[in-house]
PDB file of all heavy atoms in Angstrom:
ATOM      1  N   LEU A  67      -4.846   2.985   2.560  1.00  0.00           N
ATOM      2  CA  LEU A  67      -5.700   2.391   3.554  1.00  0.00           C
ATOM      3  C   LEU A  67      -6.452   3.463   4.320  1.00  0.00           C
ATOM      4  O   LEU A  67      -5.946   4.549   4.490  1.00  0.00           O
ATOM      5  CB  LEU A  67      -4.866   1.547   4.586  1.00  0.00           C
ATOM      6  CG  LEU A  67      -4.313   0.228   4.055  1.00  0.00           C
ATOM      7  CD1 LEU A  67      -3.367  -0.428   5.082  1.00  0.00           C
ATOM      8  CD2 LEU A  67      -5.394  -0.707   3.562  1.00  0.00           C
ATOM      9  N   LYS A  68      -7.648   3.134   4.715  1.00  0.00           N
ATOM     10  CA  LYS A  68      -8.540   4.097   5.473  1.00  0.00           C
ATOM     11  C   LYS A  68      -7.819   4.503   6.709  1.00  0.00           C
ATOM     12  O   LYS A  68      -7.018   3.735   7.304  1.00  0.00           O
ATOM     13  CB  LYS A  68      -9.830   3.460   5.805  1.00  0.00           C
ATOM     14  CG  LYS A  68     -10.840   3.587   4.715  1.00  0.00           C
ATOM     15  CD  LYS A  68     -12.209   3.054   5.210  1.00  0.00           C
ATOM     16  CE  LYS A  68     -13.235   3.080   4.108  1.00  0.00           C
ATOM     17  NZ  LYS A  68     -14.533   2.553   4.574  1.00  0.00           N
ATOM     18  N   ILE A 107      -9.068   2.338   0.833  1.00  0.00           N
ATOM     19  CA  ILE A 107      -9.237   0.967   0.897  1.00  0.00           C
ATOM     20  C   ILE A 107      -9.593   0.539   2.347  1.00  0.00           C
ATOM     21  O   ILE A 107      -8.852   0.930   3.260  1.00  0.00           O
ATOM     22  CB  ILE A 107      -8.016   0.230   0.365  1.00  0.00           C
ATOM     23  CG1 ILE A 107      -7.749   0.555  -1.159  1.00  0.00           C
ATOM     24  CG2 ILE A 107      -8.139  -1.354   0.427  1.00  0.00           C
ATOM     25  CD1 ILE A 107      -6.495   0.006  -1.701  1.00  0.00           C
ATOM     26  N   ASP A 108     -10.657  -0.261   2.466  1.00  0.00           N
ATOM     27  CA  ASP A 108     -10.979  -0.801   3.763  1.00  0.00           C
ATOM     28  C   ASP A 108      -9.940  -1.756   4.337  1.00  0.00           C
ATOM     29  O   ASP A 108      -9.631  -2.759   3.734  1.00  0.00           O
ATOM     30  CB  ASP A 108     -12.376  -1.548   3.595  1.00  0.00           C
ATOM     31  CG  ASP A 108     -12.979  -1.855   4.913  1.00  0.00           C
ATOM     32  OD1 ASP A 108     -12.833  -1.142   5.843  1.00  0.00           O
ATOM     33  OD2 ASP A 108     -13.658  -2.944   4.933  1.00  0.00           O
ATOM     34  N   LYS A 109      -9.370  -1.377   5.472  1.00  0.00           N
ATOM     35  CA  LYS A 109      -8.356  -2.202   6.133  1.00  0.00           C
ATOM     36  C   LYS A 109      -8.859  -3.586   6.429  1.00  0.00           C
ATOM     37  O   LYS A 109      -8.117  -4.603   6.350  1.00  0.00           O
ATOM     38  CB  LYS A 109      -7.898  -1.609   7.469  1.00  0.00           C
ATOM     39  CG  LYS A 109      -7.091  -0.357   7.336  1.00  0.00           C
ATOM     40  CD  LYS A 109      -6.699   0.154   8.733  1.00  0.00           C
ATOM     41  CE  LYS A 109      -5.904   1.478   8.622  1.00  0.00           C
ATOM     42  NZ  LYS A 109      -5.565   2.011   9.871  1.00  0.00           N
ATOM     43  N   GLU A 110     -10.047  -3.735   6.799  1.00  0.00           N
ATOM     44  CA  GLU A 110     -10.664  -5.011   7.264  1.00  0.00           C
ATOM     45  C   GLU A 110     -10.739  -6.080   6.142  1.00  0.00           C
ATOM     46  O   GLU A 110     -10.747  -7.228   6.339  1.00  0.00           O
ATOM     47  CB  GLU A 110     -11.988  -4.887   7.904  1.00  0.00           C
ATOM     48  CG  GLU A 110     -11.914  -4.133   9.325  1.00  0.00           C
ATOM     49  CD  GLU A 110     -11.681  -2.674   9.245  1.00  0.00           C
ATOM     50  OE1 GLU A 110     -12.074  -2.023   8.234  1.00  0.00           O
ATOM     51  OE2 GLU A 110     -11.146  -2.084  10.193  1.00  0.00           O
ATOM     52  N   THR A 111     -10.860  -5.597   4.905  1.00  0.00           N
ATOM     53  CA  THR A 111     -11.033  -6.544   3.821  1.00  0.00           C
ATOM     54  C   THR A 111      -9.840  -6.546   2.888  1.00  0.00           C
ATOM     55  O   THR A 111      -9.862  -7.336   1.871  1.00  0.00           O
ATOM     56  CB  THR A 111     -12.304  -6.149   2.884  1.00  0.00           C
ATOM     57  OG1 THR A 111     -12.186  -4.842   2.441  1.00  0.00           O
ATOM     58  CG2 THR A 111     -13.508  -6.277   3.854  1.00  0.00           C
ATOM     59  N   TYR A 112      -8.809  -5.802   3.110  1.00  0.00           N
ATOM     60  CA  TYR A 112      -7.633  -5.744   2.232  1.00  0.00           C
ATOM     61  C   TYR A 112      -6.737  -6.981   2.593  1.00  0.00           C
ATOM     62  O   TYR A 112      -6.425  -7.164   3.747  1.00  0.00           O
ATOM     63  CB  TYR A 112      -6.874  -4.472   2.367  1.00  0.00           C
ATOM     64  CG  TYR A 112      -5.677  -4.326   1.468  1.00  0.00           C
ATOM     65  CD1 TYR A 112      -5.785  -4.171   0.086  1.00  0.00           C
ATOM     66  CD2 TYR A 112      -4.387  -4.369   1.996  1.00  0.00           C
ATOM     67  CE1 TYR A 112      -4.684  -4.045  -0.746  1.00  0.00           C
ATOM     68  CE2 TYR A 112      -3.257  -4.255   1.175  1.00  0.00           C
ATOM     69  CZ  TYR A 112      -3.381  -4.157  -0.184  1.00  0.00           C
ATOM     70  OH  TYR A 112      -2.293  -4.008  -1.004  1.00  0.00           O
ATOM     71  N   ALA A 113      -6.303  -7.694   1.593  1.00  0.00           N
ATOM     72  CA  ALA A 113      -5.426  -8.831   1.846  1.00  0.00           C
ATOM     73  C   ALA A 113      -4.136  -8.685   1.023  1.00  0.00           C
ATOM     74  O   ALA A 113      -4.205  -8.124  -0.142  1.00  0.00           O
ATOM     75  CB  ALA A 113      -6.140 -10.134   1.442  1.00  0.00           C
TER      76      ALA A 113
END
Side-chain angles (χ1 to χ4, degrees):
L67 291 176
K68 276 186 183 179
I107 297 174
D108 189 33
K109 289 180 183 183
E110 289 77 24
T111 59
Y112 182 72

